Amino acid sequence: MREEMSRREAAELLRGHRKPRSPHGWGLLVALWLLAFYEPVVTEGHLRRKNLEFIFIRFSAWEFAGCDKLWAGLVTTLCHHIRQHFGALPLSVFHVLGSRPRFASGFSQREWILKKGTCLRLWGLLLVLAVGIAILLVALLVPGIKDHHALKVVGSAVASLSGSSLLLGAFSILKNFLVSEKKKIERLTNSDRFAGQLGFMSKIRGEVEVLVDFLAFMEVFERRRLRVVLEITSLDLCYPEKVAGVFNAMATLLSDSNAPFIFLLAVDPSVIVPCLEQTGSMKGLADNGYEYLNRAVSLPFSIPEMGARSRLRSVEAAIQTREDLMYRIIAGNVAKTRGVPAAAGWKEADSEAVAWIHEAFRCLHDGSDVLSRYLPDNGASVRRIVNTIPITLRLLLHRSGTAGILSPRAAAAWVVLADRWPCRLSWTLQCLEDSGQSVPVVDSSSKSLWSIFQEHVGELSVLRQPLAKVLSLDGDPELFQEFLARDFPFSAAEARELLGVTVNLDHSIRRHMGLLRGLARL
C-alpha cells in the first residue's frame, strides 16, 4: 500500500498537477485561515485525482480487553490517531468554524469559496466592539461628557457584548484543543449514567461524523485522497461479547457510505465464529457465525498455504530475534582472541550449547533438509519452535552431556513433532509408558514410536469423541506418518530420553489419556 501511494504521488506530479501540501509548518497557518474563512468545494478535478495517502492505525483488541466496551476502545483509538496525525489545533478549529465540503455546481474548478456570512459576522462584531470602545473612551476622557453615566453604561455594554461573543468562540476552540475526542468518549463510558444514556450512541456517532467531515476537508486542502486504514488484530483473544461489540463499532463507523475507512480484520474464523454464535448477534441469521462474517466482510482474503521459501523466511525472521545467541558467540570469540581464561569468559559447556543450538537452527533453515518440510505455516508456531529448541538442547546437554545418543538435528525434529502433533505424540508416549508398567514387563526399547502408535491407533479411534478438542490441535495425520515412519524413526529409548527435556508438550494431555485408557479397561 505504501508503494502504491508513492507510485501514484509521482504519477500525479508528472501530469503537472500541483504538489500536495501538509498542515504543518507554514501549511498550518494556511489551513487555519482556510478553516476560518473559506468553505471547501469538491470539484471535478479533485475527483479525478489519483494520488492518495493511507493513514495506518493499528488496533490490538487485546490491549482493550479489560474495558467494559471494547468497541469504545476502537473509536477512541481512531480519534486519537487522527488528532495526532493532523495536529490538535486544526481539528479544534474545525469543531467550531469548519464546514464539510460541498460538491461544485457544474464544471467549476474553484475549490475554495469565501464564507460571506462568517466574514460579515466577524467584521460586524469587530465594528460593534470598536464603536463600544470608542463610546467608552469618549465618556471617560472627553471633558464635559465625563459626568454622563448613561453613555458609560452604553459603551461598556456594547463593548462587553461584542467582546464576549469573540471570547466565546476562542473559548470553544480552546476547549476542543484541551479536551480531545478520545477524552470525551472515555468520559461518557465512565459515567455512572452510562446504562441509562439513551442518546449515547448518537453522541459517539456525532464524534465520528465530525472526524469524517474533517477528513473530507483535509482531502481538499492537501490536494489528495485520504484513507484511514484500521488494522484490527488479536480479536480472537477476547471474550465473545466483546468480539461482537467490535463488529458493531465497525458497522457504526461504516454506516456512512462516504466514510474513508478501510478495516483490515486479521482473525482466525475457527475462533471468531464460535464467539459470535455465543452472543445475541446471531438472531435472525439462524445462529450461523459464518453467515454473519459474510455479511460483515466485504472483501474476504484467506491467506494461502505457506510455501517452502516462505516457511524458511519465517524461520529466519524468528531466528534473528535470538540476539542472545549471537551476542554469546561474539563475546566467546573476543574472549578467545584476548586469551581470557575460561573461568573469566563464558563457560565451556555454554559455548558447546550455543554451537548445538546453531547446528539445530541450521537444519531448520536448510531448504535441502527434510526437516524444513515439516515446519508449520503459522508464524506464531514457528516462533514457538525457535524459542523452544535452545531450552531443549541445554536441558539435554545438562542431563546426558555430549555422550548422549542424540544429535542437535534429532532434538530439533522432536521439538517440531511435539508442536505439530501434541495429541498423537502424547498418546504414543502414554502407550509406551503403560507397556513399561505391564506384568510381565515387555522390553520395548528397540521398538519405533510409529510401530507403537500403529498398535494402539484403534483404541485412540474409540476415544476420539472425549479427545476431540485435543485431536483438533494436531496437524496433517499423513505427514505424521511420514515423519515417524520414514524421515525421523525415533525409537522408544530415544523417546524416553527426550521426554525428560520436552517443555513444549502439555503433559496434562497425557495424564488425561492415561485416565481414559484406565476407565476403558475396567
Side-chain angles (χ1 to χ4, degrees):
M1 293 175 81
R2 294 186 188 278
E3 291 176 358
E4 177 70 10
M5 187 168 62
S6 302
R7 186 189 67 78
R8 290 194 179 196
E9 197 74 59
E12 283 292 299
L13 293 177
L14 286 176
R15 292 191 190 102
H17 292 180
R18 287 185 295 175
K19 186 178 180 181
R21 52 189 174 186
S22 170
H24 301 287
W26 176 254
L28 176 60
L29 298 178
V30 178
L32 294 177
W33 178 261
L34 294 173
L35 276 167
F37 301 109
Y38 286 87
E39 180 183 5
V41 179
V42 178
T43 63
E44 182 195 9
H46 177 73
L47 295 176
R48 290 180 180 274
R49 284 174 178 148
K50 302 297 183 182
N51 57 331
L52 77 164
E53 179 185 10
F54 291 113
I55 303 172
F56 294 97
I57 300 175
R58 175 160 293 180
F59 175 75
S60 176
W62 178 247
E63 296 179 7
F64 296 88
C67 65
D68 294 334
K69 298 294 179 182
L70 181 60
W71 59 267
L74 175 62
V75 179
T76 55
T77 301
L78 170 66
C79 295
H80 173 70
H81 281 83
I82 294 296
R83 186 182 181 91
Q84 194 176 40
H85 180 82
F86 292 103
L89 189 56
L91 187 55
S92 304
V93 175
F94 183 83
H95 270 278
V96 181
L97 301 173
S99 57
R100 180 182 176 86
R102 61 183 179 87
F103 287 91
S105 56
F107 294 95
S108 172
Q109 298 300 318
R110 189 180 177 187
E111 291 186 337
W112 300 99
I113 297 178
L114 186 66
K115 296 179 184 176
K116 297 180 180 179
T118 302
C119 294
L120 289 175
R121 284 193 297 270
L122 179 61
W123 283 110
L125 286 174
L126 291 176
L127 181 60
V128 172
L129 178 62
V131 171
I133 294 175
I135 294 174
L136 187 60
L137 290 176
V138 168
L140 291 175
L141 301 177
V142 177
I145 309 180
K146 293 182 179 180
D147 298 331
H148 292 275
H149 297 288
L151 200 57
K152 294 180 182 178
V153 172
V154 171
S156 301
V158 171
S160 299
L161 288 174
S162 57
S164 60
S165 300
L166 294 173
L167 289 175
L168 186 61
F171 176 75
S172 300
I173 295 175
L174 181 62
K175 180 182 176 182
N176 283 283
F177 181 82
L178 297 176
V179 182
S180 64
E181 295 76 18
K182 178 181 178 181
K183 291 182 180 178
K184 293 178 187 176
I185 297 173
E186 289 176 347
R187 188 179 298 168
L188 287 172
T189 54
N190 293 333
S191 174
D192 295 335
R193 298 179 294 115
F194 172 76
Q197 288 181 346
L198 299 178
F200 176 77
M201 285 305 297
S202 64
K203 293 179 181 178
I204 299 294
R205 178 64 189 155
E207 294 294 337
V208 174
E209 286 178 351
V210 170
L211 283 184
V212 172
D213 294 345
F214 176 71
L215 289 170
F217 178 93
M218 295 308 297
E219 276 193 347
V220 180
F221 170 76
E222 293 194 4
R223 304 186 187 121
R224 58 186 165 196
R225 315 303 291 272
L226 296 176
R227 293 294 180 267
V228 179
V229 182
L230 288 101
E231 309 169 40
I232 302 178
T233 60
S234 305
L235 196 59
D236 39 14
L237 299 176
C238 302
Y239 294 120
E241 61 275 7
K242 296 184 178 180
V243 172
V246 170
F247 279 92
N248 291 335
M250 291 169 54
T252 302
L253 293 174
L254 291 175
S255 59
D256 186 354
S257 59
N258 297 320
F261 300 125
I262 300 173
F263 288 95
L264 298 182
L265 187 63
V267 296
D268 184 354
S270 63
V271 178
I272 293 298
V273 166
C275 289
L276 292 172
E277 292 175 348
Q278 293 178 32
T279 65
S281 304
M282 298 295 102
K283 302 303 179 184
L285 291 174
D287 296 336
N288 190 334
Y290 287 101
E291 184 70 23
Y292 185 88
L293 275 182
N294 288 339
R295 291 174 180 269
V297 178
S298 58
L299 178 60
F301 184 88
S302 182
I303 299 178
E305 184 179 353
M306 191 180 292
R309 286 185 297 177
S310 298
R311 278 200 296 268
L312 293 180
R313 283 198 297 266
S314 179
V315 172
E316 183 180 5
I319 291 175
Q320 287 177 353
T321 63
R322 304 291 307 191
E323 296 178 356
D324 55 333
L325 301 178
M326 306 294 118
Y327 176 76
R328 286 169 183 262
I329 284 187
I330 294 172
N333 292 336
V334 171
K336 289 178 183 178
T337 38
R338 293 183 178 178
V340 180
W346 300 105
K347 294 182 179 179
E348 183 179 352
D350 187 73
S351 301
E352 188 173 5
V354 171
W356 274 47
I357 293 168
H358 275 275
E359 173 62 22
F361 283 167
R362 187 197 62 78
C363 297
L364 280 181
H365 193 256
D366 188 359
S368 60
D369 196 313
V370 71
L371 179 58
S372 63
R373 177 172 174 258
Y374 295 100
L375 290 174
D377 297 334
N378 191 340
S381 299
V382 171
R383 287 193 296 273
R384 219 166 34 233
I385 290 172
V386 169
N387 291 333
T388 306
I389 286 176
I391 301 173
T392 303
L393 286 173
R394 289 179 188 278
L395 290 174
L396 189 63
L397 284 172
H398 179 72
R399 287 168 62 98
S400 306
T402 54
I405 59 176
L406 294 165
S407 64
R409 180 174 180 269
W414 181 265
V415 171
V416 173
L417 175 65
D419 185 87
R420 297 221 54 190
W421 298 280
C423 179
R424 286 171 172 79
L425 177 60
S426 297
W427 176 258
T428 308
L429 294 174
Q430 183 60 38
C431 295
L432 176 61
E433 180 182 334
D434 291 344
S435 65
Q437 296 172 349
S438 61
V439 181
V441 177
V442 179
D443 185 15
S444 57
S445 299
S446 58
K447 280 188 173 183
S448 67
L449 282 186
W450 175 244
S451 63
I452 296 173
F453 178 78
Q454 279 185 309
E455 290 176 10
H456 303 279
V457 68
E459 191 178 352
L460 176 62
S461 178
V462 173
L463 297 174
R464 65 181 180 272
Q465 185 173 355
L467 294 175
K469 291 186 177 180
V470 186
L471 274 169
S472 65
L473 300 176
D474 282 5
D476 189 346
E478 295 180 358
L479 284 179
F480 176 75
Q481 177 180 351
E482 294 179 12
F483 188 97
L484 281 182
R486 185 188 66 190
D487 296 325
F488 298 95
F490 287 105
S491 66
E494 292 173 331
R496 288 193 178 100
E497 183 177 358
L498 285 166
L499 182 59
V501 298
T502 304
V503 296
N504 65 325
L505 184 65
D506 188 353
H507 298 292
S508 65
I509 298 175
R510 192 159 48 90
R511 289 194 295 269
H512 181 54
M513 290 176 171
L515 178 62
L516 290 176
R517 289 197 78 197
L519 292 174
R521 291 178 177 181
L522 285 177

